[in-house]
Amino acid sequence: MNEMKDKDYLIRAIAANDQLRAFAVDTTGITEYARTIHGNYPIATAALGRLMSAGLMMGQMLKSEDDKLTLQLLGDGEMKHVIVTSNLSGTVRGYVSNPYVDLPPNRQGHLNVGEAIGNGSLTVIRDMGLKEPYVSSIDLVSGEIAEDLTYYFAQSEQTPSTVGLGVLLNHDNTVRKSGGFIIQLLPFTKKATIDRLDENIKKFTSVTDVLSKGKTIEEMLEIVLDGFDLHITDRKDVSWKCNCSFERGKAVLSTLKDEELQKMIDEDKDIDVDCDFCGKHYKYTPLDIEEILNAKKSQID
Ligand code: ZN
């Protein structure tokens, strides 16, 4: 499943004597891989790349290897929705509902992700193996994703954060660079530290600008956290991975109503199920459907 040219990776860091924690990620290979399997147009490439970068960094905030993170961006714009799942081990997958959105650039001359999403919400779901997953949702601020996540962290997690995300394309619409960072203030951060960070952020151009100059994500953090004592504490490879399977497809089919499954059996045709995340194709025979229906019935009894 890994046909990526670049080795993507993620770093964690602390700064200013543990008053700040930081994450940065390079998702160039992952974003390009997603573009090739989904056929994403530029705006979808940018939206998905940004959300996957965020997902990988937020995956590092989970507690256990078994926990699952889902980020859902839902809007009334042409792109409809963007969905990403990730985890602590550093794998990610995602897709855009309408990958062919094509809009003129926004006022800053950038890919118009905000308009493509429109008005809507950002939902963060953390499945920690408990009965109910932890779900938190905010209304979108701009639909540009980084700003929305900054608002999410302040609103839902009471953790003041700065989020920067960017995807830069080549002339042929392939991905040249994709990545981002999250800086978070830990409790008891001194005012001087906050002021200095604000100043740095004001001076910071953009993730795409910095990465386009050939800088690494380590160098990007050094720019954002200039003047702070920055320590990289962890570095890990990240990659695209979809965990769909024939069995998981069965589980999805079993959520259909009994009558619907019975109808499929009666029609005596194979049922095709495509994975939204990776496009993989699964075929279920009427016999498979019968098995699913019988398993369902025996569960209820
Ligand atoms: Zn899949």
Side-chain angles (χ1 to χ4, degrees):
M1 184 107 315
N2 258 316
E3 293 142 39
M4 300 183 290
K5 273 184 291 176
D6 304 290
K7 238 306 168 246
D8 292 345
Y9 68 103
L10 180 146
I11 52 173
R12 284 182 78 131
I14 48 163
N17 289 319
D18 293 355
Q19 294 179 77
L20 303 172
R21 74 166 175 174
F23 303 84
V25 69
D26 184 329
T27 53
T28 305
I30 294 170
T31 303
E32 171 61 11
Y33 179 72
R35 186 193 69 79
T36 59
I37 62 167
H38 293 307
N40 291 337
Y41 279 25
I43 293 176
T45 302
L48 187 55
R50 290 181 199 173
L51 202 63
M52 289 196 296
S53 292
L56 281 165
M57 291 187 281
M58 291 170 73
Q60 300 310 300
M61 300 170 194
L62 295 169
K63 300 276 183 290
S64 150
E65 293 275 344
D66 300 324
D67 296 353
K68 283 189 282 285
L69 174 83
T70 303
L71 300 180
Q72 286 180 343
L73 205 56
L74 306 170
D76 61 5
E78 278 181 56
M79 194 147 57
K80 295 198 178 84
H81 63 249
V82 189
I83 299 185
V84 162
T85 77
S86 187
N87 51 44
L88 184 58
S89 67
T91 69
V92 69
R93 59 177 188 162
Y95 71 97
V96 168
S97 168
N98 174 7
Y100 312 122
V101 186
D102 196 9
L103 296 169
N106 64 16
R107 257 181 275 153
Q108 291 80 38
H110 299 146
L111 289 168
N112 207 338
V113 174
E115 195 185 321
I117 289 285
N119 294 312
S121 61
L122 167 76
T123 303
V124 178
I125 304 164
R126 281 196 215 86
D127 187 347
M128 295 174 284
L130 303 170
K131 212 168 181 189
E132 296 288 332
Y134 172 82
V135 182
S136 182
S137 204
I138 55 141
D139 288 338
L140 293 177
V141 182
S142 68
E144 294 286 337
I145 305 176
E147 248 185 292
D148 303 299
L149 281 163
T150 298
Y151 181 67
Y152 163 80
F153 281 116
Q155 206 65 20
S156 296
E157 303 202 358
Q158 286 78 47
T159 309
S161 309
T162 303
V163 184
L165 302 167
V167 175
L168 184 70
L169 303 184
N170 293 309
H171 288 301
D172 62 359
N173 292 338
T174 55
V175 178
R176 195 166 137 209
K177 273 286 167 193
S178 174
F181 66 81
I182 299 177
I183 314 284
Q184 298 195 305
L185 304 187
L186 296 173
F188 313 112
T189 302
K190 294 192 182 103
K191 187 172 179 300
T193 306
I194 298 170
D195 290 347
R196 174 73 198 241
L197 181 62
D198 283 347
E199 246 174 73
N200 287 1
I201 299 291
K202 258 180 232 150
K203 272 191 275 176
F204 187 81
T205 49
S206 70
V207 171
T208 40
D209 180 60
V210 170
L211 293 180
S212 73
K213 290 173 179 147
K215 301 227 183 285
T216 63
I217 52 173
E218 287 87 347
E219 289 167 327
M220 181 166 68
L221 277 191
E222 274 163 24
I223 296 169
V224 186
L225 295 172
D226 179 43
F228 298 115
D229 194 18
L230 176 70
H231 290 279
I232 312 276
T233 55
D234 191 21
R235 181 193 196 280
K236 71 165 73 167
D237 291 339
V238 293
S239 60
W240 170 282
K241 189 182 176 198
C242 189
N243 54 1
C244 67
S245 67
F246 185 78
E247 286 305 312
R248 275 174 194 266
K250 269 186 175 176
V252 173
L253 285 170
S254 75
T255 61
L256 296 174
K257 288 199 186 98
D258 288 5
E259 304 89 85
E260 286 177 77
L261 291 168
Q262 189 57 54
K263 204 173 148 222
M264 289 176 180
I265 297 165
D266 295 343
E267 279 169 2
D268 199 29
K269 274 185 288 191
D270 289 344
I271 301 295
D272 295 315
V273 178
D274 292 328
C275 173
D276 285 334
F277 286 97
C278 72
K280 217 169 171 185
H281 197 73
Y282 296 96
K283 199 179 268 300
Y284 298 87
T285 64
L287 220 69
D288 294 324
I289 306 291
E290 218 174 314
E291 206 180 283
I292 293 165
L293 184 60
N294 289 337
K296 254 188 100 173
K297 283 181 174 163
S298 67
Q299 262 172 14
I300 295 160
D301 295 341

